[in-house]
Amino acid sequence: MYQSFQYTDEKFADLQLLRYQLPGFNRLSLSQKLYIYCLSKAALMGRDITFDQQGKYNLRIRRMLEAVYTAFTGDREGEPFRALTVYLKRVWFSSGIYHHYGCEKFLPDFSQAFLREQILKTDPELLPLRSGETVEEMMDELFPVIFDPNVLPKRVNQAAGVDLVKTSACNFYEGVTQEEVEAFYQDKKAEAAKETDGTEGQPSWGLNSRVVKRNGKVMEEPWTTTGRYGNILSKIVYWLEKARRYAENDGQRRVIDLLVDYYRTGDLRTFDQFSIAWVQQQEGLIDFINGFIEVYGDPLGMKGTWEGLVEYKDLEATRRTRTISDHAQWFEDHSPVDPRFKKKTVKGVTAHVICAAMLGGDEYPSTAIGINLPNADWIRSQYGSKSVTISNITYAYNQAARGNGFRDEFVIDRPTRELIDRYGDSTDDLHTDLHECLGHGSGQLLPGTDPDALKAYGNTIEEARADLFGLYYVADPKLVELGLLPDGEAYKSQYYTYLMNGALTQCVRIQPGHDIEEAHMRNRAIIANWVLAQAAEEAKAAGQVPAAQIIEKDHKHYLQVNNYAELRGYFGRLLAEIQRIKSEGDYAAARNLVERYGVKVDPKLHEEMLARYKALNIAPYKGFINPKLNLVRDANGNITDVAVDYTEGYAEQMLRYSREYC
């Protein structure tokens, strides 16, 4: 299925570029290939939306740097230009000047004088000048944003006790405070509550708009074909409508029609209708995600960053996720959470293993390995959800990691390394399946609980809930009974690597002295630190050895697990508490859990982890170069095939995207 392939490509800063294959693509029909081709165009077309959402100056900075990069006539091997090249590649990778994961602004390693000199040598026609603006005025505006560490330093600020809107550089708000935004949407919810009969939940208020203050009044700028981003959204609509011609069935055509209507009107009720139709559409091999979806880029957790993904089913691997989804009710019934928070009837849980055919927007170059949508709790409850695990992305990660020395350095001993070598890939995949297929779709809110009650902590709590669901069940004998794991020892691999990552090794992604900010990292830290703290406290009281602990060995720190079976009980207890927090909307408990266990990093351990990791020469972050899809025509100009090209370089691809998708 997979051919001999070079998965790793260039490396710079803290980033490693990888490539992914499209296994089985050649076996698709021409119509299916053209469906993917048009959907891929729509997925790539929203690129500039993501750049703009991540910071109001990102697009101008990128275009200015691209102009200098392409027009440069000096020594391209000299240090200043090499530094500019790395900086531009980082801007491409992160859709702006803020780290894609940590959200802090990264600074260039070239001087202001060098950049100024090169800009002045560049044809002004190539520079992103506004009407009537001079080159000097452009530099006066953009240079402080690029070079001054104190100007707009954080894309998403999650620090406690500050105005998260005012202190975040993301481009979702202008001229408003956090208090004003929260009051604005509370009023919307209250007004909508008067007009509903309660059979449907409220829409995802604020998902597709920017909040601004005009003449003293707070209002929304909607993202529609006739509003903000109108030109780009119109092009996305164009390619969606072209894709419609090649859709595999009427259900897919209805999904496209609703998405197009939503882009044109901005009506969030239409988005809900689209989401329901998307969940219910299960036929055919090809599917896609396109729109303002995930809210992790907003400090208040409401605004959807634009993303695109085109996919086709991995039928062989889907048998695994189908087994899980077919037993969704069993998993819900046997969950360790309070019965009040369980779904009496689990509806519409569907799960597929898929191959990514094209990544776009916030899913490119760095992408998720699993996705569960829609995000609206009421749609999940009434109509179900759709989960995907992306097999060709996971396969590329695994192939690129072979023999990199990570396990030898950080896993405590040879027997544990052998355990992970034997079971690691399969239990990683299974944990992702459980997280996406069942974890996000499990449980329910109590009647009257506001889905946004946890505010800035909501994303972290939700990811912890899904991860804990997977951790609790990966050790269940039911998985061996269902044929999803070979034996009762396999789960130990997942328990070790998860706790090691959450307590120790994930901190290599954080700069010295910084707190944990990203929601997924906070989630893993909460789970690992809470479990280790509880195990230590209870073992001390009982005069026993803790189930797991951090020990020092040969002047290095490692995770040591003394009782794997006991760990499952801790995961179950924390899952029960986090489900309670979500179901009741207990903001104070969410804040306490996150701030106590998920934010701070031990500075000495951090320094040690960074030094050990640096010695391995491994980049802590990975991302992908997309394959290029080319139309093949016969002598008469008729399309006869869609060919996959894996040879395009990273800079070549990014510059092409800047020309073609703007």
Side-chain angles (χ1 to χ4, degrees), residues 263-541:
Y263 277 147
R264 285 174 172 156
T265 65
D267 189 333
L268 287 168
R269 291 292 185 191
T270 302
F271 179 71
D272 287 343
Q273 294 172 22
F274 157 77
S275 298
I276 293 167
W278 180 80
V279 166
Q280 295 175 331
Q281 161 49 36
Q282 299 292 330
E283 302 302 317
L285 288 178
I286 299 160
D287 205 351
F288 70 96
I289 295 168
N290 188 295
F292 307 105
I293 308 293
E294 300 293 356
V295 296
Y296 299 99
D298 174 14
L300 302 186
M302 292 188 297
K303 305 296 177 186
T305 304
W306 195 92
E307 65 182 54
L309 172 69
V310 186
E311 64 195 60
Y312 57 99
K313 291 176 184 174
D314 181 338
L315 295 177
E316 180 65 29
T318 290
R319 294 189 181 98
R320 180 183 76 235
T321 53
R322 187 164 296 160
T323 298
I324 294 173
S325 58
D326 286 347
H327 292 82
Q329 191 66 57
W330 184 92
F331 286 100
E332 184 77 0
D333 292 343
H334 290 80
S335 172
V337 307
D338 189 310
R340 294 178 301 148
F341 310 141
K342 296 182 183 181
K343 291 178 178 175
K344 302 299 183 290
T345 303
V346 177
K347 297 180 181 179
V349 175
T350 58
H352 302 289
V353 179
I354 58 99
C355 292
M358 194 62 65
L359 308 172
D362 204 34
E363 291 293 336
Y364 168 81
S366 178
T367 185
I369 58 173
I371 298 171
N372 179 282
L373 292 172
N375 289 322
D377 282 294
W378 74 270
I379 297 179
R380 290 176 185 274
S381 177
Q382 294 186 32
Y383 298 95
S385 61
K386 188 186 290 185
S387 299
V388 297
T389 304
I390 311 177
S391 62
N392 60 337
I393 294 296
T394 302
Y395 187 81
Y397 278 133
N398 292 340
Q399 293 301 306
R402 300 290 183 203
N404 65 8
F406 178 84
R407 290 176 184 171
D408 292 332
E409 176 59 39
F410 290 104
V411 177
I412 190 168
D413 53 32
R414 179 177 293 177
T416 308
R417 288 193 294 273
E418 291 174 348
L419 177 81
I420 297 168
D421 288 341
R422 184 160 63 250
Y423 298 117
D425 289 354
S426 60
T427 55
D428 283 350
D429 288 345
L430 187 57
H431 182 259
T432 300
D433 293 340
L434 290 166
H435 173 114
E436 299 294 350
C437 302
L438 301 182
H440 280 307
S442 66
Q444 63 181 357
L445 301 181
L446 291 183
T449 298
D450 185 344
D452 299 320
L454 303 184
K455 300 181 181 179
Y457 299 106
N459 290 331
T460 296
I461 292 298
E462 175 57 22
E463 290 303 324
R465 193 177 72 91
D467 261 2
L468 284 162
F469 193 98
L471 289 167
Y472 180 77
Y473 277 116
V474 77
D476 199 293
K478 185 73 171 180
L479 299 188
V480 178
E481 176 189 323
L482 294 174
L484 296 171
L485 287 177
D487 55 52
E489 296 292 302
Y491 80 94
K492 296 178 181 179
S493 169
Q494 185 63 201
Y495 277 16
Y496 191 92
T497 56
Y498 191 96
L499 290 177
M500 179 184 74
N501 183 42
L504 294 175
T505 56
Q506 76 164 357
C507 73
V508 302
R509 294 182 163 195
I510 304 170
Q511 294 183 20
H514 285 215
D515 290 339
I516 303 173
E517 295 276 0
E518 201 276 334
H520 296 81
M521 290 183 70
R522 283 185 166 188
N523 136 49
R524 292 188 287 266
I526 289 168
I527 293 171
N529 292 331
W530 185 93
V531 167
L532 291 172
Q534 293 296 312
E537 181 180 331
E538 293 173 15
K540 182 179 180 180

Side-chain angles (χ1 to χ4, degrees), residues 55 276 328 426 552 633 660:
I276 293 167
S426 60
E552 187 173 358
R633 300 178 184 272
E660 295 182 3

